[in-house]
Amino acid sequence: LRQRHHYTRRLNLDHGLSSFMQEFIGFAQENWVLMVLWVSAAGTLYYTETKKAGKSVNTTEATRMINREDALILDIREQKEFSKGHIAGAYNLPASVFDKKLSELDRYKSHPVIVVCKMGTSAGSIAKTLKKRGFEQVVRLTGGMSEWTAASLPTKKGKSS
């Protein structure tokens, strides 16, 4: 008797899911113009956001670039946050003074540059600016320092080296 009750409950759950799908498909068929507009808007948003941010690398690829290609690690966090923990060898140029001190980086135009921020969200605009200024190989670290520390990769405390 217990098994039958369990089986009946499962059928009701499956029926609920299929009922939802039927309703959704019905809605999509009746409002196809709205669905096309929604998919187009989502696609456009995705495209513009990925284009704006530029190419990104994960922690493994960043480590490879640092070790084999002598990449510059450009940390754009504020000095206070940078001194609490950063990637060894990173150059700190806070986003707040980036435009004023950008010329300090000109000697690295032909080097790979990895732009690092706290969460990986604000590095995209800095990377785009560097590309416009003639830097050849600019990428951003996906997830920023949060991802680096979550992967238990080494960090250094104190000022820039």
mmCIF file of all heavy atoms in Angstrom, residues 74-116:
data_model
loop_
_atom_site.group_PDB
_atom_site.id
_atom_site.type_symbol
_atom_site.label_atom_id
_atom_site.label_comp_id
_atom_site.label_asym_id
_atom_site.label_seq_id
_atom_site.Cartn_x
_atom_site.Cartn_y
_atom_site.Cartn_z
ATOM 1 N N LEU A 74 48.330 43.570 -13.652
ATOM 2 C CA LEU A 74 47.899 44.922 -13.329
ATOM 3 C C LEU A 74 46.700 44.850 -12.400
ATOM 4 O O LEU A 74 45.597 44.505 -12.814
ATOM 5 C CB LEU A 74 47.548 45.690 -14.603
ATOM 6 C CG LEU A 74 47.048 47.117 -14.411
ATOM 7 C CD1 LEU A 74 48.132 47.974 -13.756
ATOM 8 C CD2 LEU A 74 46.632 47.706 -15.744
ATOM 9 N N ASP A 75 46.924 45.151 -11.127
ATOM 10 C CA ASP A 75 45.871 45.108 -10.118
ATOM 11 C C ASP A 75 45.286 46.502 -9.990
ATOM 12 O O ASP A 75 45.984 47.451 -9.621
ATOM 13 C CB ASP A 75 46.458 44.642 -8.781
ATOM 14 C CG ASP A 75 45.398 44.222 -7.787
ATOM 15 O OD1 ASP A 75 44.367 44.912 -7.692
ATOM 16 O OD2 ASP A 75 45.611 43.210 -7.099
ATOM 17 N N ILE A 76 43.994 46.649 -10.279
ATOM 18 C CA ILE A 76 43.365 47.973 -10.309
ATOM 19 C C ILE A 76 42.576 48.292 -9.039
ATOM 20 O O ILE A 76 41.853 49.273 -8.984
ATOM 21 C CB ILE A 76 42.461 48.136 -11.552
ATOM 22 C CG1 ILE A 76 41.348 47.084 -11.562
ATOM 23 C CG2 ILE A 76 43.293 48.069 -12.824
ATOM 24 C CD1 ILE A 76 40.273 47.337 -12.592
ATOM 25 N N ARG A 77 42.747 47.461 -8.010
ATOM 26 C CA ARG A 77 42.062 47.746 -6.740
ATOM 27 C C ARG A 77 42.771 48.888 -6.013
ATOM 28 O O ARG A 77 43.919 49.213 -6.304
ATOM 29 C CB ARG A 77 42.055 46.496 -5.855
ATOM 30 C CG ARG A 77 41.289 45.333 -6.485
ATOM 31 C CD ARG A 77 41.394 44.071 -5.664
ATOM 32 N NE ARG A 77 42.794 43.666 -5.552
ATOM 33 C CZ ARG A 77 43.303 42.984 -4.532
ATOM 34 N NH1 ARG A 77 42.544 42.628 -3.519
ATOM 35 N NH2 ARG A 77 44.576 42.647 -4.524
ATOM 36 N N GLU A 78 42.087 49.492 -5.071
ATOM 37 C CA GLU A 78 42.677 50.581 -4.296
ATOM 38 C C GLU A 78 43.836 50.058 -3.450
ATOM 39 O O GLU A 78 43.872 48.885 -3.081
ATOM 40 C CB GLU A 78 41.615 51.244 -3.410
ATOM 41 C CG GLU A 78 40.530 51.974 -4.189
ATOM 42 C CD GLU A 78 41.059 53.084 -5.088
ATOM 43 O OE1 GLU A 78 41.949 53.859 -4.654
ATOM 44 O OE2 GLU A 78 40.595 53.179 -6.229
ATOM 45 N N GLN A 79 44.777 50.929 -3.118
ATOM 46 C CA GLN A 79 46.005 50.554 -2.401
ATOM 47 C C GLN A 79 45.714 49.822 -1.094
ATOM 48 O O GLN A 79 46.364 48.825 -0.779
ATOM 49 C CB GLN A 79 46.846 51.812 -2.114
ATOM 50 C CG GLN A 79 48.089 51.559 -1.279
ATOM 51 C CD GLN A 79 49.099 50.656 -1.969
ATOM 52 O OE1 GLN A 79 49.358 50.808 -3.150
ATOM 53 N NE2 GLN A 79 49.656 49.706 -1.243
ATOM 54 N N LYS A 80 44.718 50.264 -0.354
ATOM 55 C CA LYS A 80 44.379 49.641 0.930
ATOM 56 C C LYS A 80 43.986 48.172 0.734
ATOM 57 O O LYS A 80 44.449 47.291 1.458
ATOM 58 C CB LYS A 80 43.246 50.424 1.597
ATOM 59 C CG LYS A 80 42.885 49.948 2.975
ATOM 60 C CD LYS A 80 41.791 50.826 3.583
ATOM 61 C CE LYS A 80 41.401 50.329 4.956
ATOM 62 N NZ LYS A 80 40.319 51.134 5.527
ATOM 63 N N GLU A 81 43.148 47.918 -0.248
ATOM 64 C CA GLU A 81 42.712 46.555 -0.531
ATOM 65 C C GLU A 81 43.858 45.722 -1.114
ATOM 66 O O GLU A 81 44.018 44.552 -0.797
ATOM 67 C CB GLU A 81 41.535 46.596 -1.516
ATOM 68 C CG GLU A 81 40.773 45.314 -1.593
ATOM 69 C CD GLU A 81 39.503 45.462 -2.411
ATOM 70 O OE1 GLU A 81 39.101 46.586 -2.756
ATOM 71 O OE2 GLU A 81 38.924 44.419 -2.716
ATOM 72 N N PHE A 82 44.664 46.356 -1.958
ATOM 73 C CA PHE A 82 45.812 45.689 -2.575
ATOM 74 C C PHE A 82 46.806 45.212 -1.511
ATOM 75 O O PHE A 82 47.302 44.089 -1.583
ATOM 76 C CB PHE A 82 46.494 46.658 -3.543
ATOM 77 C CG PHE A 82 47.726 46.123 -4.204
ATOM 78 C CD1 PHE A 82 47.627 45.337 -5.338
ATOM 79 C CD2 PHE A 82 48.985 46.426 -3.721
ATOM 80 C CE1 PHE A 82 48.765 44.848 -5.972
ATOM 81 C CE2 PHE A 82 50.125 45.944 -4.337
ATOM 82 C CZ PHE A 82 50.013 45.157 -5.474
ATOM 83 N N SER A 83 47.064 46.046 -0.511
ATOM 84 C CA SER A 83 48.054 45.693 0.513
ATOM 85 C C SER A 83 47.585 44.551 1.417
ATOM 86 O O SER A 83 48.394 43.879 2.041
ATOM 87 C CB SER A 83 48.433 46.920 1.347
ATOM 88 O OG SER A 83 47.307 47.407 2.034
ATOM 89 N N LYS A 84 46.275 44.285 1.453
ATOM 90 C CA LYS A 84 45.760 43.163 2.250
ATOM 91 C C LYS A 84 46.050 41.820 1.597
ATOM 92 O O LYS A 84 46.033 40.793 2.251
ATOM 93 C CB LYS A 84 44.252 43.311 2.471
ATOM 94 C CG LYS A 84 43.887 44.442 3.383
ATOM 95 C CD LYS A 84 42.380 44.542 3.532
ATOM 96 C CE LYS A 84 41.990 45.726 4.389
ATOM 97 N NZ LYS A 84 40.526 45.878 4.461
ATOM 98 N N GLY A 85 46.286 41.824 0.294
ATOM 99 C CA GLY A 85 46.605 40.586 -0.414
ATOM 100 C C GLY A 85 46.513 40.759 -1.914
ATOM 101 O O GLY A 85 45.512 41.237 -2.423
ATOM 102 N N HIS A 86 47.609 40.418 -2.611
ATOM 103 C CA HIS A 86 47.647 40.529 -4.067
ATOM 104 C C HIS A 86 48.513 39.414 -4.642
ATOM 105 O O HIS A 86 49.214 38.716 -3.915
ATOM 106 C CB HIS A 86 48.180 41.902 -4.493
ATOM 107 C CG HIS A 86 49.559 42.195 -3.970
ATOM 108 N ND1 HIS A 86 49.774 42.769 -2.732
ATOM 109 C CD2 HIS A 86 50.785 41.956 -4.498
ATOM 110 C CE1 HIS A 86 51.073 42.891 -2.538
ATOM 111 N NE2 HIS A 86 51.709 42.403 -3.598
ATOM 112 N N ILE A 87 48.470 39.261 -5.945
ATOM 113 C CA ILE A 87 49.292 38.281 -6.638
ATOM 114 C C ILE A 87 50.737 38.782 -6.595
ATOM 115 O O ILE A 87 50.995 39.968 -6.846
ATOM 116 C CB ILE A 87 48.824 38.093 -8.095
ATOM 117 C CG1 ILE A 87 47.361 37.625 -8.117
ATOM 118 C CG2 ILE A 87 49.713 37.117 -8.832
ATOM 119 C CD1 ILE A 87 46.724 37.639 -9.495
ATOM 120 N N ALA A 88 51.658 37.897 -6.264
ATOM 121 C CA ALA A 88 53.074 38.285 -6.181
ATOM 122 C C ALA A 88 53.533 38.865 -7.511
ATOM 123 O O ALA A 88 53.256 38.317 -8.576
ATOM 124 C CB ALA A 88 53.921 37.071 -5.811
ATOM 125 N N GLY A 89 54.218 39.996 -7.438
ATOM 126 C CA GLY A 89 54.724 40.659 -8.637
ATOM 127 C C GLY A 89 53.727 41.579 -9.307
ATOM 128 O O GLY A 89 54.030 42.166 -10.342
ATOM 129 N N ALA A 90 52.545 41.722 -8.728
ATOM 130 C CA ALA A 90 51.513 42.568 -9.338
ATOM 131 C C ALA A 90 51.886 44.042 -9.221
ATOM 132 O O ALA A 90 52.512 44.477 -8.251
ATOM 133 C CB ALA A 90 50.167 42.320 -8.674
ATOM 134 N N TYR A 91 51.483 44.796 -10.234
ATOM 135 C CA TYR A 91 51.672 46.246 -10.250
ATOM 136 C C TYR A 91 50.327 46.871 -9.902
ATOM 137 O O TYR A 91 49.327 46.588 -10.552
ATOM 138 C CB TYR A 91 52.134 46.694 -11.639
ATOM 139 C CG TYR A 91 52.415 48.166 -11.749
ATOM 140 C CD1 TYR A 91 53.607 48.703 -11.305
ATOM 141 C CD2 TYR A 91 51.455 49.023 -12.296
ATOM 142 C CE1 TYR A 91 53.862 50.057 -11.408
ATOM 143 C CE2 TYR A 91 51.696 50.377 -12.406
ATOM 144 C CZ TYR A 91 52.905 50.885 -11.959
ATOM 145 O OH TYR A 91 53.140 52.233 -12.059
ATOM 146 N N ASN A 92 50.310 47.709 -8.876
ATOM 147 C CA ASN A 92 49.060 48.315 -8.436
ATOM 148 C C ASN A 92 48.874 49.688 -9.064
ATOM 149 O O ASN A 92 49.684 50.587 -8.877
ATOM 150 C CB ASN A 92 49.046 48.427 -6.910
ATOM 151 C CG ASN A 92 47.742 48.984 -6.366
ATOM 152 O OD1 ASN A 92 47.734 49.859 -5.531
ATOM 153 N ND2 ASN A 92 46.633 48.463 -6.817
ATOM 154 N N LEU A 93 47.809 49.821 -9.836
ATOM 155 C CA LEU A 93 47.417 51.096 -10.415
ATOM 156 C C LEU A 93 45.906 51.208 -10.249
ATOM 157 O O LEU A 93 45.135 50.702 -11.066
ATOM 158 C CB LEU A 93 47.806 51.168 -11.898
ATOM 159 C CG LEU A 93 47.556 52.492 -12.603
ATOM 160 C CD1 LEU A 93 48.326 53.627 -11.940
ATOM 161 C CD2 LEU A 93 47.945 52.387 -14.068
ATOM 162 N N PRO A 94 45.471 51.828 -9.124
ATOM 163 C CA PRO A 94 44.033 51.888 -8.832
ATOM 164 C C PRO A 94 43.222 52.513 -9.958
ATOM 165 O O PRO A 94 43.678 53.447 -10.626
ATOM 166 C CB PRO A 94 43.970 52.758 -7.575
ATOM 167 C CG PRO A 94 45.316 52.625 -6.949
ATOM 168 C CD PRO A 94 46.273 52.484 -8.102
ATOM 169 N N ALA A 95 42.038 51.982 -10.170
ATOM 170 C CA ALA A 95 41.150 52.477 -11.221
ATOM 171 C C ALA A 95 40.846 53.959 -11.048
ATOM 172 O O ALA A 95 40.656 54.675 -12.026
ATOM 173 C CB ALA A 95 39.862 51.658 -11.240
ATOM 174 N N SER A 96 40.844 54.440 -9.802
ATOM 175 C CA SER A 96 40.523 55.846 -9.528
ATOM 176 C C SER A 96 41.569 56.809 -10.091
ATOM 177 O O SER A 96 41.268 57.967 -10.362
ATOM 178 C CB SER A 96 40.357 56.068 -8.030
ATOM 179 O OG SER A 96 41.545 55.725 -7.351
ATOM 180 N N VAL A 97 42.809 56.361 -10.276
ATOM 181 C CA VAL A 97 43.869 57.216 -10.819
ATOM 182 C C VAL A 97 44.416 56.661 -12.133
ATOM 183 O O VAL A 97 45.447 57.103 -12.629
ATOM 184 C CB VAL A 97 45.030 57.397 -9.804
ATOM 185 C CG1 VAL A 97 44.552 58.129 -8.560
ATOM 186 C CG2 VAL A 97 45.672 56.076 -9.460
ATOM 187 N N PHE A 98 43.722 55.705 -12.697
ATOM 188 C CA PHE A 98 44.204 54.999 -13.886
ATOM 189 C C PHE A 98 44.488 55.951 -15.046
ATOM 190 O O PHE A 98 45.554 55.888 -15.664
ATOM 191 C CB PHE A 98 43.185 53.931 -14.308
ATOM 192 C CG PHE A 98 43.602 53.161 -15.512
ATOM 193 C CD1 PHE A 98 44.560 52.163 -15.417
ATOM 194 C CD2 PHE A 98 43.045 53.429 -16.757
ATOM 195 C CE1 PHE A 98 44.958 51.449 -16.536
ATOM 196 C CE2 PHE A 98 43.433 52.718 -17.869
ATOM 197 C CZ PHE A 98 44.394 51.730 -17.761
ATOM 198 N N ASP A 99 43.550 56.819 -15.367
ATOM 199 C CA ASP A 99 43.725 57.727 -16.511
ATOM 200 C C ASP A 99 44.915 58.661 -16.325
ATOM 201 O O ASP A 99 45.626 58.963 -17.277
ATOM 202 C CB ASP A 99 42.449 58.537 -16.753
ATOM 203 C CG ASP A 99 41.306 57.665 -17.256
ATOM 204 O OD1 ASP A 99 41.586 56.657 -17.932
ATOM 205 O OD2 ASP A 99 40.138 57.982 -16.952
ATOM 206 N N LYS A 100 45.159 59.109 -15.100
ATOM 207 C CA LYS A 100 46.258 60.045 -14.823
ATOM 208 C C LYS A 100 47.622 59.369 -14.938
ATOM 209 O O LYS A 100 48.602 59.995 -15.322
ATOM 210 C CB LYS A 100 46.110 60.637 -13.419
ATOM 211 C CG LYS A 100 44.887 61.496 -13.235
ATOM 212 C CD LYS A 100 44.742 61.930 -11.799
ATOM 213 C CE LYS A 100 43.401 62.589 -11.580
ATOM 214 N NZ LYS A 100 43.108 62.784 -10.153
ATOM 215 N N LYS A 101 47.700 58.097 -14.561
ATOM 216 C CA LYS A 101 48.992 57.413 -14.497
ATOM 217 C C LYS A 101 49.171 56.320 -15.547
ATOM 218 O O LYS A 101 50.093 55.522 -15.449
ATOM 219 C CB LYS A 101 49.181 56.815 -13.097
ATOM 220 C CG LYS A 101 49.225 57.863 -12.008
ATOM 221 C CD LYS A 101 49.632 57.262 -10.698
ATOM 222 C CE LYS A 101 49.793 58.352 -9.651
ATOM 223 N NZ LYS A 101 50.393 57.835 -8.442
ATOM 224 N N LEU A 102 48.330 56.311 -16.546
ATOM 225 C CA LEU A 102 48.387 55.284 -17.587
ATOM 226 C C LEU A 102 49.722 55.273 -18.320
ATOM 227 O O LEU A 102 50.213 54.218 -18.723
ATOM 228 C CB LEU A 102 47.234 55.483 -18.575
ATOM 229 C CG LEU A 102 47.110 54.507 -19.723
ATOM 230 C CD1 LEU A 102 46.998 53.073 -19.207
ATOM 231 C CD2 LEU A 102 45.912 54.846 -20.576
ATOM 232 N N SER A 103 50.354 56.435 -18.457
ATOM 233 C CA SER A 103 51.630 56.512 -19.183
ATOM 234 C C SER A 103 52.731 55.688 -18.506
ATOM 235 O O SER A 103 53.702 55.300 -19.161
ATOM 236 C CB SER A 103 52.071 57.969 -19.328
ATOM 237 O OG SER A 103 52.218 58.547 -18.046
ATOM 238 N N GLU A 104 52.599 55.386 -17.213
ATOM 239 C CA GLU A 104 53.575 54.559 -16.508
ATOM 240 C C GLU A 104 53.652 53.148 -17.089
ATOM 241 O O GLU A 104 54.639 52.446 -16.893
ATOM 242 C CB GLU A 104 53.228 54.453 -15.013
ATOM 243 C CG GLU A 104 53.339 55.737 -14.249
ATOM 244 C CD GLU A 104 52.909 55.607 -12.792
ATOM 245 O OE1 GLU A 104 52.746 54.463 -12.310
ATOM 246 O OE2 GLU A 104 52.741 56.647 -12.143
ATOM 247 N N LEU A 105 52.618 52.732 -17.784
ATOM 248 C CA LEU A 105 52.549 51.373 -18.316
ATOM 249 C C LEU A 105 53.023 51.252 -19.767
ATOM 250 O O LEU A 105 53.086 50.145 -20.299
ATOM 251 C CB LEU A 105 51.110 50.851 -18.225
ATOM 252 C CG LEU A 105 50.486 50.778 -16.845
ATOM 253 C CD1 LEU A 105 49.036 50.352 -16.953
ATOM 254 C CD2 LEU A 105 51.260 49.806 -15.964
ATOM 255 N N ASP A 106 53.355 52.354 -20.393
ATOM 256 C CA ASP A 106 53.689 52.331 -21.816
ATOM 257 C C ASP A 106 54.804 51.347 -22.164
ATOM 258 O O ASP A 106 54.817 50.770 -23.241
ATOM 259 C CB ASP A 106 54.045 53.733 -22.315
ATOM 260 C CG ASP A 106 52.817 54.603 -22.516
ATOM 261 O OD1 ASP A 106 51.700 54.032 -22.608
ATOM 262 O OD2 ASP A 106 52.958 55.836 -22.580
ATOM 263 N N ARG A 107 55.732 51.122 -21.270
ATOM 264 C CA ARG A 107 56.852 50.209 -21.558
ATOM 265 C C ARG A 107 56.392 48.746 -21.656
ATOM 266 O O ARG A 107 57.139 47.887 -22.084
ATOM 267 C CB ARG A 107 57.954 50.369 -20.521
ATOM 268 C CG ARG A 107 57.556 49.965 -19.130
ATOM 269 C CD ARG A 107 58.739 50.131 -18.167
ATOM 270 N NE ARG A 107 58.374 49.718 -16.838
ATOM 271 C CZ ARG A 107 58.278 50.518 -15.799
ATOM 272 N NH1 ARG A 107 58.553 51.799 -15.928
ATOM 273 N NH2 ARG A 107 57.928 50.050 -14.627
ATOM 274 N N TYR A 108 55.155 48.457 -21.234
ATOM 275 C CA TYR A 108 54.616 47.087 -21.270
ATOM 276 C C TYR A 108 53.686 46.836 -22.458
ATOM 277 O O TYR A 108 53.011 45.819 -22.505
ATOM 278 C CB TYR A 108 53.857 46.786 -19.972
ATOM 279 C CG TYR A 108 54.718 46.827 -18.744
ATOM 280 C CD1 TYR A 108 54.648 47.901 -17.855
ATOM 281 C CD2 TYR A 108 55.606 45.802 -18.457
ATOM 282 C CE1 TYR A 108 55.441 47.938 -16.722
ATOM 283 C CE2 TYR A 108 56.405 45.827 -17.323
ATOM 284 C CZ TYR A 108 56.319 46.908 -16.466
ATOM 285 O OH TYR A 108 57.101 46.946 -15.349
ATOM 286 N N LYS A 109 53.672 47.732 -23.428
ATOM 287 C CA LYS A 109 52.727 47.602 -24.549
ATOM 288 C C LYS A 109 52.875 46.297 -25.314
ATOM 289 O O LYS A 109 51.907 45.770 -25.833
ATOM 290 C CB LYS A 109 52.857 48.790 -25.500
ATOM 291 C CG LYS A 109 52.154 50.027 -24.997
ATOM 292 C CD LYS A 109 52.112 51.109 -26.036
ATOM 293 C CE LYS A 109 51.300 52.277 -25.503
ATOM 294 N NZ LYS A 109 51.171 53.356 -26.463
ATOM 295 N N SER A 110 54.086 45.768 -25.393
ATOM 296 C CA SER A 110 54.284 44.528 -26.147
ATOM 297 C C SER A 110 54.227 43.285 -25.258
ATOM 298 O O SER A 110 54.327 42.168 -25.745
ATOM 299 C CB SER A 110 55.631 44.570 -26.882
ATOM 300 O OG SER A 110 56.681 44.687 -25.943
ATOM 301 N N HIS A 111 54.050 43.463 -23.948
ATOM 302 C CA HIS A 111 53.943 42.349 -23.002
ATOM 303 C C HIS A 111 52.480 41.935 -22.821
ATOM 304 O O HIS A 111 51.587 42.765 -22.946
ATOM 305 C CB HIS A 111 54.468 42.752 -21.612
ATOM 306 C CG HIS A 111 55.939 42.870 -21.522
ATOM 307 N ND1 HIS A 111 56.625 43.948 -22.014
ATOM 308 C CD2 HIS A 111 56.867 42.039 -20.986
ATOM 309 C CE1 HIS A 111 57.906 43.792 -21.784
ATOM 310 N NE2 HIS A 111 58.086 42.638 -21.166
ATOM 311 N N PRO A 112 52.256 40.676 -22.469
ATOM 312 C CA PRO A 112 50.894 40.290 -22.074
ATOM 313 C C PRO A 112 50.538 40.995 -20.765
ATOM 314 O O PRO A 112 51.375 41.099 -19.866
ATOM 315 C CB PRO A 112 50.979 38.784 -21.861
ATOM 316 C CG PRO A 112 52.260 38.345 -22.477
ATOM 317 C CD PRO A 112 53.161 39.534 -22.484
ATOM 318 N N VAL A 113 49.313 41.482 -20.665
ATOM 319 C CA VAL A 113 48.855 42.177 -19.462
ATOM 320 C C VAL A 113 47.592 41.484 -18.954
ATOM 321 O O VAL A 113 46.651 41.267 -19.714
ATOM 322 C CB VAL A 113 48.549 43.672 -19.750
ATOM 323 C CG1 VAL A 113 48.030 44.367 -18.500
ATOM 324 C CG2 VAL A 113 49.776 44.379 -20.296
ATOM 325 N N ILE A 114 47.593 41.143 -17.671
ATOM 326 C CA ILE A 114 46.421 40.546 -17.026
ATOM 327 C C ILE A 114 45.856 41.584 -16.063
ATOM 328 O O ILE A 114 46.525 41.963 -15.105
ATOM 329 C CB ILE A 114 46.789 39.266 -16.249
ATOM 330 C CG1 ILE A 114 47.459 38.247 -17.171
ATOM 331 C CG2 ILE A 114 45.542 38.669 -15.594
ATOM 332 C CD1 ILE A 114 48.095 37.071 -16.444
ATOM 333 N N VAL A 115 44.655 42.064 -16.334
ATOM 334 C CA VAL A 115 44.022 43.074 -15.482
ATOM 335 C C VAL A 115 43.226 42.352 -14.395
ATOM 336 O O VAL A 115 42.410 41.477 -14.680
ATOM 337 C CB VAL A 115 43.107 44.007 -16.292
ATOM 338 C CG1 VAL A 115 42.517 45.089 -15.404
ATOM 339 C CG2 VAL A 115 43.870 44.632 -17.461
ATOM 340 N N VAL A 116 43.495 42.741 -13.139
ATOM 341 C CA VAL A 116 42.882 42.087 -11.990
ATOM 342 C C VAL A 116 42.128 43.125 -11.158
ATOM 343 O O VAL A 116 42.669 44.182 -10.837
ATOM 344 C CB VAL A 116 43.961 41.410 -11.107
ATOM 345 C CG1 VAL A 116 43.338 40.745 -9.899
ATOM 346 C CG2 VAL A 116 44.774 40.416 -11.908
#
